[in-house]
Amino acid sequence: MDVDSVECLSLPDWGVGAMDAADDVGLALHAHGALLAAARAAACSKGGGGGGAAAGSGVHELLECPVCTNSMYPPIHQCQNGHTLCSTCKARVHNRCPTCRQELGDIRCLALEKVAESLELPCKYCSLGCPEIFPYYSKIKHEAQCMFRPYNCPYAGSECAVVGDIPYLVAHLRDDHKVDMHSGCTFNHRYVKSNPREVENATWMLTVFHCFGQYFCLHFEAFQLGMAPVYMAFLRFMGDENEARNYSYSLEVGANGRKMVWEGTPRSVRDSHRKVRDSHDGLIIQRNMALFFSGGDRKELKLRITGRIWKEQQTPDGACIPNLCS
């Protein structure tokens, strides 16, 4: 039996007999679906052969909506000729089958839903190292939070669509965005702006620091907070949130015998730049205070922000002490 040739039953009348027929089809396909799951797992394991990959591709295509190409979940709809599509796209095609243009009606493809229910497939990030295998209907929830899923580019100056692991993104930031790269856990960041009243187009800078074997992104920008222009600096950790909690950082800005200090935990780059900025999780400097720190006639912004990063370490009695890099 070739699963790629399976057609869903057309069951417009949902009587007891029709439901039994659908159950029989689902049971007949159950064993074959389990074999396909094993083949799919083999394709993602080390040394998986081409045959396993082909079988995995077949079952994936069977459960792929022809309109949006996403995986289909109940209710899965079909036309009278057996062509399927997801419930979201059914409303978008004005009740016409996108394959044969026949009227869709309200026919559920119970056979295909049962095929999906019987499957256990590996995470789609198995090639990136995720070893987990999930029932088909649980897999998508895991993938949304999988720690092996690629990271989005943390560059905030444009809507960059590049994704990848951390080493790839570090090289991408350096080579494609020309971001400044520094080693060490202390920094001294100078920001100069000739017209501090212009913040409509948020001015910003990004610097990447390498310390403790990890990478951190320092953001500095100007934006409008309500009616007042403000300047903000914050740090993001290039890794997952649970790893970010192992580190702390401080930022300091000041002049003329005054200073402002911020201490916090870096946010993971899993949180977008805009999400961190809009949560105000960083050092925020009102424009008047920024101009006071700049000195002179206050017509030009000259801010110097210093800071450091440290790793929290626990003593045997459970107390946390900072581990400063040399």
Side-chain angles (χ1 to χ4, degrees):
M1 177 182 179
D2 184 359
V3 73
D4 289 337
S5 65
V6 170
E7 291 190 0
C8 299
L9 295 180
S10 177
L11 302 174
D13 182 10
W14 294 113
V16 175
M19 293 295 289
D20 289 343
D23 287 344
D24 290 341
V25 172
L27 291 172
L29 291 171
H30 183 94
H32 194 70
L35 291 174
L36 286 169
R40 178 74 178 96
C44 279
S45 63
K46 292 182 180 180
S57 175
V59 73
H60 175 77
E61 291 175 2
L62 186 67
L63 291 165
E64 184 180 274
C65 174
V67 178
C68 64
T69 70
N70 293 327
S71 297
M72 294 187 291
Y73 295 88
I76 300 175
H77 296 277
Q78 68 167 57
C79 72
Q80 293 186 358
N81 292 325
H83 303 126
T84 57
L85 78 165
C86 71
S87 57
T88 301
C89 291
K90 181 176 183 290
R92 295 166 52 191
V93 298
H94 306 294
N95 207 38
R96 289 285 175 184
C97 174
T99 304
C100 66
R101 308 306 300 168
Q102 293 294 316
E103 186 174 351
L104 284 172
D106 292 311
I107 306 173
R108 284 269 298 272
C109 186
L110 297 183
L112 190 54
E113 290 180 12
K114 281 191 170 290
V115 169
E117 186 178 344
S118 70
L119 295 177
E120 288 192 349
L121 298 176
C123 171
K124 70 178 180 181
Y125 304 121
C126 59
S127 61
L128 300 178
C130 182
E132 303 293 339
I133 296 177
F134 294 90
Y136 180 79
Y137 293 143
S138 303
K139 191 169 78 81
I140 191 170
K141 182 178 180 180
H142 160 79
E143 289 170 350
Q145 300 295 326
C146 179
M147 63 179 295
F148 292 93
R149 71 190 188 279
Y151 295 88
N152 295 319
C153 173
Y155 191 77
S158 62
E159 296 297 327
C160 182
V162 170
V163 298
D165 59 16
I166 298 303
Y168 178 81
L169 289 181
V170 169
H172 165 68
L173 289 170
R174 181 190 64 233
D175 300 336
D176 298 330
H177 294 300
K178 310 303 180 185
V179 168
D180 290 336
M181 300 282 174
H182 296 274
S183 295
C185 61
T186 61
F187 44 88
N188 192 329
H189 181 97
R190 189 165 183 262
Y191 181 79
V192 178
K193 184 172 176 59
S194 58
N195 188 350
R197 296 184 179 276
E198 293 180 356
V199 295
E200 289 79 9
N201 297 320
T203 54
W204 56 271
M205 295 180 72
L206 171 64
T207 307
V208 173
F209 294 89
H210 182 236
C211 57
F212 302 108
Q214 306 289 347
Y215 290 92
F216 300 82
C217 296
L218 175 64
H219 296 266
F220 185 81
E221 64 179 86
F223 63 98
Q224 201 83 15
L225 182 59
M227 298 297 292
V230 298
Y231 302 91
M232 182 175 179
F234 58 90
L235 198 72
R236 288 201 291 166
F237 173 75
M238 295 189 70
D240 279 333
E241 182 181 357
N242 59 338
E243 295 179 89
R245 296 193 190 103
N246 296 325
Y247 301 90
S248 297
Y249 75 102
S250 66
L251 298 172
E252 180 177 315
V253 61
N256 301 323
R258 308 287 191 275
K259 69 178 179 180
M260 296 176 62
V261 178
W262 164 270
E263 283 195 6
T265 301
R267 296 281 286 271
S268 166
V269 291
R270 295 287 190 201
D271 289 336
S272 70
H273 161 269
R274 180 175 292 276
K275 180 179 180 180
V276 179
R277 190 197 74 180
D278 291 349
S279 68
H280 307 158
D281 191 1
L283 175 65
I284 297 180
I285 313 161
Q286 301 290 336
R287 184 175 64 186
N288 288 342
M289 182 62 73
L291 292 174
F292 175 78
F293 288 149
S294 299
D297 57 8
R298 301 190 181 187
K299 292 183 179 179
E300 185 177 43
L301 186 72
K302 296 179 180 179
L303 284 180
R304 185 175 297 277
I305 296 182
T306 60
R308 63 188 178 95
I309 306 167
W310 65 91
K311 186 174 184 179
E312 301 286 357
Q313 287 189 329
Q314 281 196 338
T315 62
D317 60 359
C320 288
I321 58 173
N323 175 23
L324 302 178
C325 63
S326 56

